[in-house]
Amino acid sequence: MASEEELFASVDALLEEEPQLPPPAERARLREAAGITQARLAVALKTSTQTVKNYENGRSEPKSPRLEAYQRLLKGWAAKYPAHTSSDAPAPVLAPQQEVPGTFTGSAAPEQAEVAAPVQAPAALAAPERPARSATSRRPAAKKAAAPAVDPRFPHGPLAVLDGDGSAYGAGGIVLNCPATTIPELVEWTLRESGLGAAKLNRYGKDSDPLIVLTAAAAVKLGLPERLEGHEQRRSLRLPEDHPVVKQVTKAKWQLTQRGFGPWARIYRKAQGRDRQCVQLAVLSWDALDERSWPGVSEMEPADIARVLGVYAMRVITPRGSTAVSGLELMTALRPPTKAVRDEETGNWVSGYNAGSLGVEPMHPAPPEATPEHPVVVNSGWKGGFLNEEAYQWVRSVDTLSDEECTLPFAVGLDLNTAFLAAAARLAVGLSAPDHFHTPKFNPKIPGSWLADLSHIELDPRLPSPFTPDGTRPTGPAWYQTHTLAYAQELGHDVHPIEAYLRRETGAYLDPWHDRLKTAYVDTLADLGVTKDLDDRAFLAAMEQHKQNDPALAAVLAAIKATVKGGVGKLRERPQGKHYKEGETWPALSRPTWRPDIRAAVISKARVNMHRKLNNMAKMTGLFPLAVLSDCVVYPSPGRSPLDFLPYAASGKPQPGGFRLGPTPGLAKLEGVQSMLWAVDLMEKGLNPARHIKGGDAVLDEGE
């Protein structure tokens, strides 16, 4: 228990960190509310118009004495024009041993109104029957929850599943009649008559394009092959350019994206004004819905597929491809790179940077953050090593097992719910390009990559090292993400970085992404009968049968989890295809969301979170794990249940700091139970019991 002095010191530290100025977006709002132009404000502050623009888009901060003058002005305006806005935590200022030019500034958190709240899918719990086809008919489904307000532009929901008889099954039991017999006709019908689509998730974003999912029968009816065969990697399969359907699309003045006509095809024309003309297609028989992310969905009836995808679309995002692609698209949808800003010189509205986003231009990583084949590495001849922030794959040495542990009858696996998602909460990441520093003083509040030697730190061999993915002790200097070094400091060790690549502008870029996916995960589990109000015993019982309660919603839950891991993995997507050569660019590098440093930050924090719990468990219970695989840990246990070894207070409440059972991200659930003899046998063979504790071969999805 922390002392009163420690608590007051922590609170005082928070008070000292209060921002001196409101967030950049609020500065602009206050100025506009007062009817003052940026040019006029610049004259008052005796600076340039561009500098004022930088203050209002988070690119720079004023220095004294202009800071105090600006602060006084904003406080006066705030008193006159109050508004409910979310304050932004200030970014820390680097305190290196060398002189560092400029300051580190945090970008504004978006106003709460910018991000739409997650929407409950209409009739999310009502599994619709397969109705008879009717002309543009809508069959109301039984509802267990009130339907949300329907956007009048998209009365029939975000998507439809088209069958061979022309029936288009939408979310909430809607059935439409689609008369199209060709792909161009289908696109026209979707845009002109279907009433499909979804509203944007952020006021600066774009509406989601309608999705049409084709069954095998519908694909054949529209002139597509039932299967898409080839010898290349499955993800690169597409129709040849001389295929009749591709020619039809081109002849009708529609375009395909560079990915061509594959399992996920986008057909579009250039937007006219504010109206987009784009339709997303997914072909079920071409494996558009991967079985690992969407278990059992491809084999469902069209109405059930529409229900699964409809709930996912309304709680997460309308699918744009794999769950990994959708996870990345969700980041951009919630943090659009640009917004409309008025050019003070011309008076025209132009596209400007949206504070807190990753912008529109891709950013080169620091050499240690890149992959060995990246042009930054190959062209510079970098030999200085790389970040190795990956999920745990650790097995304890059998030599460290005690007699008492070996006599325990069971090995019980605990799995942390969406550990990467929990790590993304309130995670400060870099929003600007990396700058290089030599012998900087370590600051745990600045995101970046640090070269440091942690090999002198000796920890209990019955626990994995928190500094390496395989749990072994470091052997010399290595690159670490900020959270890893901060944890070394938390454990009481001095940290003296040799060099670092750090970012001046920072922000909690993933916060809206985390919030939406957390709500989707918790709500879907609740629909399956696993609610927050259950005690631990009832929670374990509910988790045993939740998938059987509703296989369709269980598939939604699996897709949400895959969206988290896949989205994080896409931040460092590697080159695909056997013809790639080191040093060449690859398509993913053209995205602003190709950010291996952000991926490293999420995984580093997740691994540190895991080790902190392992360490606390050892202190509270004397128990040590047998193995860890990503977010799964195996403990020896006197019984078959986690209740037999997890720490509880005399009141019956779980002890804070260790593993706790529950349905929210970061809490644990039972992964599986095997005998202790089984676990030791695997350990002696060098195999990981956490991979097999469920009774099958668990797949470690690091999201690549």
PDB file of all heavy atoms in Angstrom, residues 101-116:
ATOM      1  N   PRO A 101      18.003  20.731 -29.793  1.00  0.00           N
ATOM      2  CA  PRO A 101      17.317  21.882 -30.376  1.00  0.00           C
ATOM      3  C   PRO A 101      15.807  21.703 -30.318  1.00  0.00           C
ATOM      4  O   PRO A 101      15.301  20.608 -30.473  1.00  0.00           O
ATOM      5  CB  PRO A 101      17.800  21.874 -31.829  1.00  0.00           C
ATOM      6  CG  PRO A 101      18.174  20.453 -32.096  1.00  0.00           C
ATOM      7  CD  PRO A 101      18.688  19.916 -30.791  1.00  0.00           C
ATOM      8  N   GLY A 102      15.094  22.799 -30.096  1.00  0.00           N
ATOM      9  CA  GLY A 102      13.633  22.757 -30.125  1.00  0.00           C
ATOM     10  C   GLY A 102      13.057  22.076 -28.901  1.00  0.00           C
ATOM     11  O   GLY A 102      13.745  21.734 -27.955  1.00  0.00           O
ATOM     12  N   THR A 103      11.757  21.865 -28.940  1.00  0.00           N
ATOM     13  CA  THR A 103      11.063  21.215 -27.837  1.00  0.00           C
ATOM     14  C   THR A 103      10.197  20.106 -28.360  1.00  0.00           C
ATOM     15  O   THR A 103       9.845  20.058 -29.524  1.00  0.00           O
ATOM     16  CB  THR A 103      10.170  22.220 -27.086  1.00  0.00           C
ATOM     17  OG1 THR A 103       9.235  22.764 -28.010  1.00  0.00           O
ATOM     18  CG2 THR A 103      10.980  23.329 -26.451  1.00  0.00           C
ATOM     19  N   PHE A 104       9.846  19.201 -27.469  1.00  0.00           N
ATOM     20  CA  PHE A 104       8.910  18.138 -27.811  1.00  0.00           C
ATOM     21  C   PHE A 104       7.521  18.617 -27.471  1.00  0.00           C
ATOM     22  O   PHE A 104       7.277  19.068 -26.352  1.00  0.00           O
ATOM     23  CB  PHE A 104       9.227  16.880 -27.003  1.00  0.00           C
ATOM     24  CG  PHE A 104      10.424  16.148 -27.494  1.00  0.00           C
ATOM     25  CD1 PHE A 104      11.696  16.624 -27.256  1.00  0.00           C
ATOM     26  CD2 PHE A 104      10.278  14.994 -28.218  1.00  0.00           C
ATOM     27  CE1 PHE A 104      12.798  15.955 -27.707  1.00  0.00           C
ATOM     28  CE2 PHE A 104      11.382  14.304 -28.680  1.00  0.00           C
ATOM     29  CZ  PHE A 104      12.650  14.779 -28.430  1.00  0.00           C
ATOM     30  N   THR A 105       6.606  18.532 -28.416  1.00  0.00           N
ATOM     31  CA  THR A 105       5.257  19.016 -28.162  1.00  0.00           C
ATOM     32  C   THR A 105       4.259  17.916 -28.421  1.00  0.00           C
ATOM     33  O   THR A 105       4.410  17.131 -29.345  1.00  0.00           O
ATOM     34  CB  THR A 105       4.916  20.210 -29.077  1.00  0.00           C
ATOM     35  OG1 THR A 105       4.994  19.792 -30.433  1.00  0.00           O
ATOM     36  CG2 THR A 105       5.879  21.359 -28.843  1.00  0.00           C
ATOM     37  N   GLY A 106       3.252  17.859 -27.611  1.00  0.00           N
ATOM     38  CA  GLY A 106       2.191  16.880 -27.799  1.00  0.00           C
ATOM     39  C   GLY A 106       1.135  17.430 -28.722  1.00  0.00           C
ATOM     40  O   GLY A 106       0.838  18.615 -28.705  1.00  0.00           O
ATOM     41  N   SER A 107       0.545  16.538 -29.536  1.00  0.00           N
ATOM     42  CA  SER A 107      -0.528  16.964 -30.416  1.00  0.00           C
ATOM     43  C   SER A 107      -1.856  16.873 -29.699  1.00  0.00           C
ATOM     44  O   SER A 107      -2.031  16.099 -28.771  1.00  0.00           O
ATOM     45  CB  SER A 107      -0.546  16.093 -31.675  1.00  0.00           C
ATOM     46  OG  SER A 107       0.604  16.351 -32.439  1.00  0.00           O
ATOM     47  N   ALA A 108      -2.780  17.652 -30.186  1.00  0.00           N
ATOM     48  CA  ALA A 108      -4.072  17.753 -29.510  1.00  0.00           C
ATOM     49  C   ALA A 108      -4.848  16.465 -29.599  1.00  0.00           C
ATOM     50  O   ALA A 108      -4.851  15.789 -30.604  1.00  0.00           O
ATOM     51  CB  ALA A 108      -4.892  18.873 -30.130  1.00  0.00           C
ATOM     52  N   ALA A 109      -5.516  16.139 -28.511  1.00  0.00           N
ATOM     53  CA  ALA A 109      -6.507  15.076 -28.561  1.00  0.00           C
ATOM     54  C   ALA A 109      -7.731  15.626 -29.258  1.00  0.00           C
ATOM     55  O   ALA A 109      -8.062  16.798 -29.122  1.00  0.00           O
ATOM     56  CB  ALA A 109      -6.873  14.644 -27.142  1.00  0.00           C
ATOM     57  N   PRO A 110      -8.429  14.804 -30.051  1.00  0.00           N
ATOM     58  CA  PRO A 110      -9.593  15.327 -30.752  1.00  0.00           C
ATOM     59  C   PRO A 110     -10.719  15.623 -29.787  1.00  0.00           C
ATOM     60  O   PRO A 110     -10.809  15.039 -28.726  1.00  0.00           O
ATOM     61  CB  PRO A 110      -9.976  14.169 -31.682  1.00  0.00           C
ATOM     62  CG  PRO A 110      -9.482  12.959 -30.958  1.00  0.00           C
ATOM     63  CD  PRO A 110      -8.228  13.384 -30.246  1.00  0.00           C
ATOM     64  N   GLU A 111     -11.579  16.557 -30.177  1.00  0.00           N
ATOM     65  CA  GLU A 111     -12.753  16.812 -29.359  1.00  0.00           C
ATOM     66  C   GLU A 111     -13.612  15.564 -29.336  1.00  0.00           C
ATOM     67  O   GLU A 111     -13.656  14.784 -30.273  1.00  0.00           O
ATOM     68  CB  GLU A 111     -13.551  17.975 -29.963  1.00  0.00           C
ATOM     69  CG  GLU A 111     -12.780  19.298 -29.945  1.00  0.00           C
ATOM     70  CD  GLU A 111     -13.608  20.409 -30.543  1.00  0.00           C
ATOM     71  OE1 GLU A 111     -14.820  20.244 -30.645  1.00  0.00           O
ATOM     72  OE2 GLU A 111     -13.037  21.442 -30.901  1.00  0.00           O
ATOM     73  N   GLN A 112     -14.313  15.374 -28.233  1.00  0.00           N
ATOM     74  CA  GLN A 112     -15.108  14.171 -28.086  1.00  0.00           C
ATOM     75  C   GLN A 112     -16.117  14.016 -29.207  1.00  0.00           C
ATOM     76  O   GLN A 112     -16.443  12.923 -29.620  1.00  0.00           O
ATOM     77  CB  GLN A 112     -15.839  14.196 -26.737  1.00  0.00           C
ATOM     78  CG  GLN A 112     -14.907  14.105 -25.536  1.00  0.00           C
ATOM     79  CD  GLN A 112     -14.171  12.785 -25.491  1.00  0.00           C
ATOM     80  OE1 GLN A 112     -14.649  11.778 -25.990  1.00  0.00           O
ATOM     81  NE2 GLN A 112     -12.984  12.776 -24.906  1.00  0.00           N
ATOM     82  N   ALA A 113     -16.598  15.135 -29.721  1.00  0.00           N
ATOM     83  CA  ALA A 113     -17.647  15.062 -30.749  1.00  0.00           C
ATOM     84  C   ALA A 113     -17.113  14.544 -32.070  1.00  0.00           C
ATOM     85  O   ALA A 113     -17.878  14.146 -32.927  1.00  0.00           O
ATOM     86  CB  ALA A 113     -18.256  16.444 -30.958  1.00  0.00           C
ATOM     87  N   GLU A 114     -15.764  14.524 -32.231  1.00  0.00           N
ATOM     88  CA  GLU A 114     -15.228  14.147 -33.532  1.00  0.00           C
ATOM     89  C   GLU A 114     -15.396  12.662 -33.807  1.00  0.00           C
ATOM     90  O   GLU A 114     -15.525  12.231 -34.926  1.00  0.00           O
ATOM     91  CB  GLU A 114     -13.737  14.505 -33.602  1.00  0.00           C
ATOM     92  CG  GLU A 114     -13.481  15.992 -33.622  1.00  0.00           C
ATOM     93  CD  GLU A 114     -12.005  16.281 -33.731  1.00  0.00           C
ATOM     94  OE1 GLU A 114     -11.255  15.372 -34.100  1.00  0.00           O
ATOM     95  OE2 GLU A 114     -11.606  17.411 -33.456  1.00  0.00           O
ATOM     96  N   VAL A 115     -15.320  11.828 -32.771  1.00  0.00           N
ATOM     97  CA  VAL A 115     -15.358  10.389 -32.960  1.00  0.00           C
ATOM     98  C   VAL A 115     -16.730   9.874 -32.593  1.00  0.00           C
ATOM     99  O   VAL A 115     -17.212  10.095 -31.492  1.00  0.00           O
ATOM    100  CB  VAL A 115     -14.294   9.700 -32.093  1.00  0.00           C
ATOM    101  CG1 VAL A 115     -14.322   8.205 -32.323  1.00  0.00           C
ATOM    102  CG2 VAL A 115     -12.913  10.264 -32.421  1.00  0.00           C
ATOM    103  N   ALA A 116     -17.350   9.218 -33.530  1.00  0.00           N
ATOM    104  CA  ALA A 116     -18.692   8.707 -33.288  1.00  0.00           C
ATOM    105  C   ALA A 116     -18.637   7.571 -32.275  1.00  0.00           C
ATOM    106  O   ALA A 116     -17.725   6.764 -32.274  1.00  0.00           O
ATOM    107  CB  ALA A 116     -19.297   8.200 -34.600  1.00  0.00           C
TER     108      ALA A 116
END
